[in-house]
Amino acid sequence: MSNTIWIFAQQKNNTVAPAAFELLSVGKSLAEQLGGTVEAVTFGKDIQAIAAALFDHGAQQVHAVQHDSLGHFSDDLYAGLLAELIKQHQPAIVLGIASTYGRALFPRTAALLEAPIAGDVRSVKIDNGAVICEKPVYGGNATAVISFAGHRPAMITVRPKTNPEAGSTGGTGQARLIELPAGLVARNVVSESVAAEGGEVSLAEADIIVSGGRGIKAAENYKLIENLAGVLGAARGASRAIVDAGWVPYSRQVGQTGKTVNPKLYIACGISGAIQHLVGMQSSRVIVAINKDAEAPIFSVASYGIVGDLFAYVPAITKYFAEKLG
């Protein structure tokens, strides 16, 4: 088994997911601890620009499989291909993004390899030769420590927005192009991927999120959330209550049964803070809560709290930032 660290660089529309650069930062640190190298693996229909971006952000080698069938994510095809490459090259650790795709790909790949896996971790380090991961559990009230000891490869998905991105190094290189094995065929083929709402900031990748809850009282009042998000260049989120009510689409739901997010700033408007919601956002760096109920659970995790009427405060905050940010 080598001391090589692999990161799986997920792409969409021939663009590397920003969280892949976070994985390169984690991978570089682990490679330094092991005295090895950090390398990237990517699949796609056209990987030239993707490979260039990975080299530029510190990948010392890029293993790339280019084929028309790999343009869109396919869990069985991707997993079979990734497992085959891991068998051939024997990396010590394989890192992926704890995204919708990563949560589908890595467990399937680990099963094919009969390899150990840790999902949705926040940190990874080497301690006396063992790979040690930490992840929040019980709604963030405790931290689980997972050790891989001598088991390799260690398959790990890392929660986005928990590590710094590797910066541009100006590095270049020639990707190692790999043929798609003839025996690997997807049982399900994705012919097209359509964004739910064009131009909207992704919750998973947003640095700022503005979310609304039942306190907005009616579907038409979600416009307050949209206005503030628009001024801040933020993603728009929602609690389960207003998603279940049909006021906003499920794609905006933050929480245990929605998306787990970790932005630099999370603004919760009219959200009481049920544990289901807190699980999905309480690791945000700064949390601002606006709620008229001073006893609302959301204030227990908030960095700053405003006890008051959101219908007065949200428009005022929106106006203030509109003037300051132009």
Side-chain angles (χ1 to χ4, degrees):
M1 185 68 67
S2 71
N3 287 333
T4 303
I5 311 299
W6 272 16
I7 70 106
F8 182 75
Q10 180 62 47
Q11 59 82 24
K12 187 173 183 179
N13 298 325
N14 296 324
T15 301
V16 182
F21 300 136
E22 295 179 38
L23 295 183
L24 280 172
S25 177
V26 177
K28 180 180 179 182
S29 175
L30 294 173
E32 290 173 350
Q33 294 174 63
L34 287 175
T37 59
V38 57
E39 303 179 358
V41 183
T42 189
F43 307 153
K45 185 177 181 179
D46 183 0
I47 53 80
Q48 299 305 319
I50 298 168
L54 293 169
F55 278 121
D56 180 51
H57 285 78
Q60 292 167 273
Q61 179 56 278
V62 175
H63 306 270
V65 184
Q66 181 172 285
H67 194 272
D68 287 349
S69 65
L70 299 172
H72 297 293
F73 177 77
S74 171
D75 53 2
D76 61 334
L77 179 57
Y78 271 46
L81 181 53
L82 182 57
E84 185 62 32
L85 294 180
I86 291 172
K87 288 177 184 177
Q88 291 177 18
H89 297 276
Q90 299 285 298
I93 302 170
V94 185
L95 302 174
I97 305 166
S99 61
T100 301
Y101 292 153
R103 292 186 181 105
L105 173 63
F106 268 57
R108 185 183 286 262
T109 305
L112 292 173
L113 296 169
E114 297 184 349
I117 182 171
D120 203 29
V121 310
R122 298 186 65 182
S123 66
V124 190
K125 65 180 180 180
I126 307 297
D127 186 7
N128 291 324
V131 182
I132 308 295
C133 304
E134 292 187 355
K135 64 176 291 182
V137 293
Y138 299 115
N141 293 310
T143 298
V145 179
I146 303 166
S147 172
F148 286 92
H151 299 287
R152 298 291 186 273
M155 303 285 293
I156 302 166
T157 60
V158 181
R159 181 179 294 191
K161 300 291 182 183
T162 54
N163 294 277
E165 290 186 11
S168 172
T169 64
T172 59
Q174 186 67 42
R176 179 177 178 271
L177 296 177
I178 303 166
E179 292 288 333
L180 179 68
L184 285 177
V185 181
R187 288 177 293 177
N188 300 299
V189 178
V190 179
S191 59
E192 184 180 13
S193 177
V194 180
E197 297 183 52
E200 186 174 349
V201 181
S202 165
L203 278 173
E205 299 174 359
D207 286 329
I208 304 173
I209 296 174
V210 182
S211 283
R214 194 183 296 277
I216 66 172
K217 297 183 179 180
E220 57 268 23
N221 294 330
Y222 191 75
K223 190 69 177 177
L224 295 172
I225 306 303
E226 294 175 331
N227 290 342
L228 179 54
V231 167
L232 296 175
R236 295 168 282 176
S239 69
R240 177 175 177 173
I242 67 172
V243 170
D244 287 349
W247 295 357
V248 296
Y250 171 74
S251 60
R252 296 187 190 174
Q253 183 176 321
V254 173
Q256 191 170 28
T257 54
K259 289 184 172 65
T260 299
V261 298
N262 190 34
K264 295 177 181 177
L265 173 62
Y266 188 89
I267 304 176
C269 307
I271 295 175
S272 63
I275 187 62
Q276 189 274 344
H277 188 78
L278 298 185
V279 166
M281 47 66 71
Q282 64 183 0
S283 60
S284 304
R285 192 174 305 176
V286 175
I287 299 171
V288 176
I290 305 171
N291 199 295
K292 65 181 181 181
D293 179 7
E295 302 301 319
I298 191 71
F299 289 120
S300 68
V301 299
S303 310
Y304 303 95
I306 299 175
V307 179
D309 185 358
L310 71 87
F311 293 98
Y313 280 100
V314 174
I317 294 171
T318 302
K319 181 181 178 182
Y320 174 84
F321 281 109
E323 294 172 351
K324 290 294 183 179
L325 301 176

